[in-house]
Amino acid sequence: MTNEEITKGILINYSARISKQRPFIVAFDGLSGAGKTTLVHRIDRELRNNGCKVVIIHIDDHIVERNKRYDTGYEEWYEYYYLQWDVNLLSTDLFRKLHNNKNDLILPFYNHSEDTLTLKKISIPNDSIILIEGIFLLRKEWRSFYDYTIFLDCPRDVRYERVLKRDSYIGDYQERLNKYKRRYWPGEGYYLEGDNPIGLADLVIDSIE
């Protein structure tokens, strides 16, 4: 599916939306290495070329401090799925406020180098399209907030190769592999089985780019 076709689907749903007094919220979900960020930036350009006001939100900008998601006594996959984000805070301060047409959001942004959170303001233009990108977006706590949902379904071997090459901050190749085996891939498997994001998404894209 081309970027133009994806954009057309968003615009059709945007034009037909019932709630015209608040932003139109589009979720781009997918597992690690599926190509979510790349796709979102392409769709952003397409939408802006069509005269739309667009705001991009990366859910990974809003994770919690390290001591709240590591060495908690839980298994690592559990920490990844349940503790990586303050799910309730984002429900209240991000999603509900978008639904209530708040023009200014105050959200915690995570600083990786300092392991700290800083509150920053995000300005939301009236009549805008919000592109939210990240993993686990279709979890039960958040799924009802979206107006349109897209899931990038990328072959496992392609995703695995991408992340193991990409995530050098974890350490050498073996350290990356071990961490994905302990933490990320089991958490993703839990999400696929428990939340069924592929079955719930409005649009599933086969992504191999």
Side-chain angles (χ1 to χ4, degrees):
M1 178 173 282
T2 66
N3 298 330
E4 292 80 6
E5 289 171 328
I6 298 168
T7 302
K8 182 178 179 181
I10 292 172
L11 290 173
I12 288 172
N13 283 272
Y14 175 68
S15 298
R17 70 197 187 282
I18 297 173
S19 301
K20 299 184 185 294
Q21 303 306 313
R22 63 167 178 79
F24 186 77
I25 307 169
V26 183
F28 287 79
D29 197 357
L31 304 183
S32 56
K36 300 181 293 297
T37 303
T38 299
L39 177 62
V40 163
H41 285 292
R42 290 175 179 172
I43 301 305
D44 174 42
R45 289 195 296 270
E46 293 287 339
L47 289 170
R48 291 180 188 275
N49 288 339
N50 280 273
C52 298
K53 303 172 185 176
V54 184
V55 175
I56 297 176
I57 295 175
H58 301 286
I59 208 70
D60 273 351
D61 286 340
H62 309 292
I63 63 176
V64 300
E65 302 96 321
R66 186 177 180 85
N67 67 346
K68 295 180 180 177
R69 53 191 165 88
Y70 280 94
D71 301 318
T72 65
Y74 292 100
E75 293 186 51
E76 287 199 52
W77 71 266
Y78 182 99
E79 292 176 327
Y80 181 42
Y81 180 81
Y82 284 106
L83 305 180
Q84 187 93 345
W85 298 266
D86 187 332
V87 173
N88 291 331
L89 181 144
L90 292 176
S91 296
T92 301
D93 290 1
L94 171 58
F95 295 115
R96 291 193 188 282
K97 288 188 176 181
L98 287 176
H99 271 253
N100 291 329
N101 199 28
K102 300 295 184 183
N103 291 100
D104 292 322
L105 306 179
I106 306 296
L107 293 174
F109 280 75
Y110 182 68
N111 184 314
H112 286 267
S113 61
E114 298 180 3
D115 187 33
T116 58
L117 294 176
T118 302
L119 292 177
K120 298 180 184 179
K121 181 170 72 173
I122 301 176
S123 295
I124 307 296
N126 292 328
D127 203 30
S128 57
I129 298 177
I130 312 297
L131 307 181
I132 300 182
E133 173 267 320
I135 194 171
F136 304 154
L137 292 184
L138 288 175
R139 64 196 311 150
K140 65 180 184 298
E141 297 93 343
W142 295 343
R143 67 178 66 139
S144 65
F145 291 113
Y146 309 121
D147 299 297
Y148 191 63
T149 56
I150 297 171
F151 188 91
L152 276 69
D153 189 18
C154 183
R156 177 184 295 182
D157 59 336
V158 175
R159 291 190 295 103
Y160 283 15
E161 182 179 3
R162 285 176 180 170
V163 297
L164 292 175
K165 285 183 178 179
R166 178 189 70 190
D167 293 348
S168 58
Y169 69 92
I170 294 174
D172 62 25
Y173 182 88
Q174 191 60 49
E175 288 173 312
R176 295 174 223 168
L177 179 61
N178 290 342
K179 186 168 184 178
Y180 267 91
K181 284 182 175 180
R182 292 192 319 266
R183 188 177 185 90
Y184 300 129
W185 292 334
E188 293 176 353
Y190 178 83
Y191 176 54
L192 287 179
E193 183 176 350
D195 290 293
N196 187 28
I198 295 175
L200 291 172
D202 295 310
L203 175 65
V204 177
I205 300 172
D206 292 327
S207 172
I208 58 172
E209 293 185 9

